[in-house]
Amino acid sequence: VRLEQIRGDAAEERAAVAQLNQRFGYLYGSVFGNLDERLTGILRAVGLAARGAGLLPGRYGYSAEEDRKLGYVRFTIQFAVEGEYSKIREMLAALQSSSEFLVVEDIGFSGEEEAASRTLKISVRVTTFVTEADPKTLERLTGGIKMAAEETDEPTEG
């Protein structure tokens, strides 16, 4: 009887592991996926978040960094907007709730300390992760890919 229970438990655990592997496969392939397949969605999500809050970014900058340890490429979009606090909060909430798995990594405020208006100027850095990125696409967007500092094999100068 004890052996049968152990076999049953093992079968349940194998089924749970198989289901977990399937979920990881979905996460890896569909959520993080290939940059070429996700790029339009990522850019659309960032643009809609800003425009939906009534904010107009001037221009966008892109960077990419490969993390060999994790097996992902960190793709970052930088932009600046100007608007009222409530509109900026609305934009940030839209970015963070996007199905594109966007992470607001950095916000920088600028402007006068004793401002006469209620308008804020901020720079925003949003990051997402992709499992693969075509080097030509990255070259076109960013000028190339960088390696995460702790992952390079090159000696540091000192």
Side-chain angles (χ1 to χ4, degrees):
V1 174
R2 175 89 173 119
L3 184 57
E4 288 176 22
Q5 183 178 0
I6 291 172
R7 284 183 186 159
D9 291 346
E12 286 178 20
E13 288 178 12
R14 281 193 300 272
V17 168
Q19 186 178 32
L20 188 59
N21 282 336
Q22 183 181 15
R23 289 180 181 167
F24 275 124
Y26 170 77
L27 181 67
Y28 188 81
S30 298
V31 174
F32 294 115
N34 182 305
L35 180 62
D36 285 342
E37 294 170 4
R38 291 190 55 214
L39 186 58
T40 300
I42 292 167
L43 298 178
R44 182 179 292 134
V46 171
L48 287 175
R51 288 188 305 278
L55 303 171
L56 299 173
R59 68 182 186 97
Y60 295 95
Y62 309 97
S63 62
E65 182 177 76
E66 184 177 5
D67 189 326
R68 288 185 185 166
K69 184 177 180 184
L70 296 176
Y72 288 97
V73 174
R74 172 189 225 105
F75 183 72
T76 303
I77 302 169
Q78 302 92 20
F79 62 95
V81 293
E82 189 174 321
E84 291 184 5
Y85 178 72
S86 62
K87 297 294 184 183
I88 291 171
R89 283 190 52 187
E90 185 180 334
M91 178 194 69
L92 294 174
L95 288 169
Q96 292 177 321
S97 64
S98 167
S99 63
E100 292 297 331
F101 195 81
L102 300 174
V103 177
V104 177
E105 192 171 64
D106 187 56
I107 301 171
F109 293 88
S110 62
E112 301 173 26
E113 218 174 279
E114 300 290 325
S117 75
R118 295 176 24 187
T119 301
L120 299 172
K121 297 176 184 176
I122 68 163
S123 60
V124 181
R125 188 170 62 221
V126 178
T127 298
T128 192
F129 298 88
V130 295
T131 55
E132 338 174 5
D134 178 54
K136 290 180 183 177
T137 301
L138 289 177
E139 181 70 30
R140 189 179 74 243
L141 289 170
T142 68
I145 189 168
K146 297 178 183 128
M147 299 303 295
E150 67 274 6
E151 297 301 320
T152 58
D153 295 329
E154 299 176 35
T156 56
E157 293 185 28

